[in-house]
Amino acid sequence: MMGDGRVDMSGRVIVLCGPQGSGKGLVAGRAVERGIAVLSLGDVVRAQVAADGLEASAANVGSTALSMREEWGEAVVVERLLPMVHEALEATDVLIDGMRQPLEFDRLVEDFAEAEILSLEATDEARQAWLAGRGRGEDESGFGEREKREWAWGLAELMARARVTIVNNGSFDDLLKSADQAFDALGV
């Protein structure tokens, strides 16, 4: 531990952010193939949905994310993920998938000063097509509603802070090549 309370570990922490359907899941899959541990903020919210005995619908995931933040503070989701990040860093680099808020990143760097952001961009049309074929309960409906919520959380500001941005306007193979280039640029 550093004198100011932050952790100095050999592993790197990379935050993956971007709007729904931009390709974060494919990039996270490529990270796993490269031996990087992937932890998801969305999984923290979905775990709370399950703990509350709710169906994993778009409405329930969205309302749970909001209610968690209202009840326990804006950084609650990343706070719940921190113990898993610390544990994973003992063995490898870590990619945190699905961060939406600058405040969450600011909380993360309190523990991991060298954390960096990798963002993904894609057109609305490409993202809607990807979501239609993904088959996750929360994707059933409400593209516009979810868009509004995630952008309101400050996603654009978080993406603007990225050290590396992938523009996903090509094929899956193009995205995977871009992911490899991004990981190389970030040193993971």
Side-chain angles (χ1 to χ4, degrees):
M1 188 165 287
M2 297 168 65
D4 60 5
R6 294 176 292 183
V7 176
D8 181 20
M9 302 181 121
S10 58
R12 305 279 316 275
V13 178
I14 305 298
V15 168
L16 179 61
C17 69
Q20 60 178 326
S22 59
K24 293 183 302 291
L26 288 173
V27 172
R30 181 60 112 203
V32 170
E33 291 173 5
R34 292 174 65 111
I36 300 168
V38 175
L39 302 173
S40 170
L41 290 168
D43 288 346
V44 172
V45 175
R46 286 185 283 278
Q48 185 66 49
V49 168
D52 291 345
L54 302 171
E55 178 186 344
S57 68
N60 288 339
V61 172
S63 65
T64 298
L66 291 171
S67 67
M68 288 173 71
R69 288 172 171 92
E70 288 170 2
E71 185 172 347
W72 297 300
E74 290 295 321
V76 64
V77 180
V78 76
E79 289 279 350
R80 290 187 182 184
L81 194 69
L82 286 174
M84 293 176 265
V85 176
H86 283 280
E87 183 178 338
L89 275 175
E90 292 176 10
T92 188
D93 297 319
V94 174
L95 179 86
I96 299 174
D97 181 16
M99 191 170 283
R100 305 290 196 277
Q101 296 183 338
L103 183 139
E104 291 173 326
F105 184 74
D106 294 342
R107 173 58 190 97
L108 182 71
V109 298
E110 288 176 18
D111 279 29
F112 307 104
E114 302 300 319
E116 295 193 85
I117 300 171
L118 167 60
S119 70
L120 276 118
E121 298 177 0
T123 65
D124 288 353
E125 296 78 21
R127 295 185 303 112
Q128 287 177 331
W130 173 250
L131 290 170
R134 183 162 77 169
R136 215 159 60 188
E138 66 195 80
D139 295 333
E140 294 166 358
S141 63
F143 179 86
E145 180 181 314
R146 186 170 169 199
E147 278 289 283
K148 183 178 177 184
R149 180 179 65 238
E150 291 182 357
W151 291 110
W153 281 337
L155 180 56
E157 179 186 335
L158 187 65
M159 291 173 66
R161 293 165 65 178
R163 180 167 158 223
V164 176
T165 297
I166 296 171
V167 178
N168 180 14
N169 288 332
S171 68
F172 290 144
D173 286 339
D174 291 339
L175 176 57
L176 296 177
K177 288 176 189 172
S178 294
D180 284 333
Q181 292 169 348
F183 290 136
D184 289 344
L186 292 165
V188 294

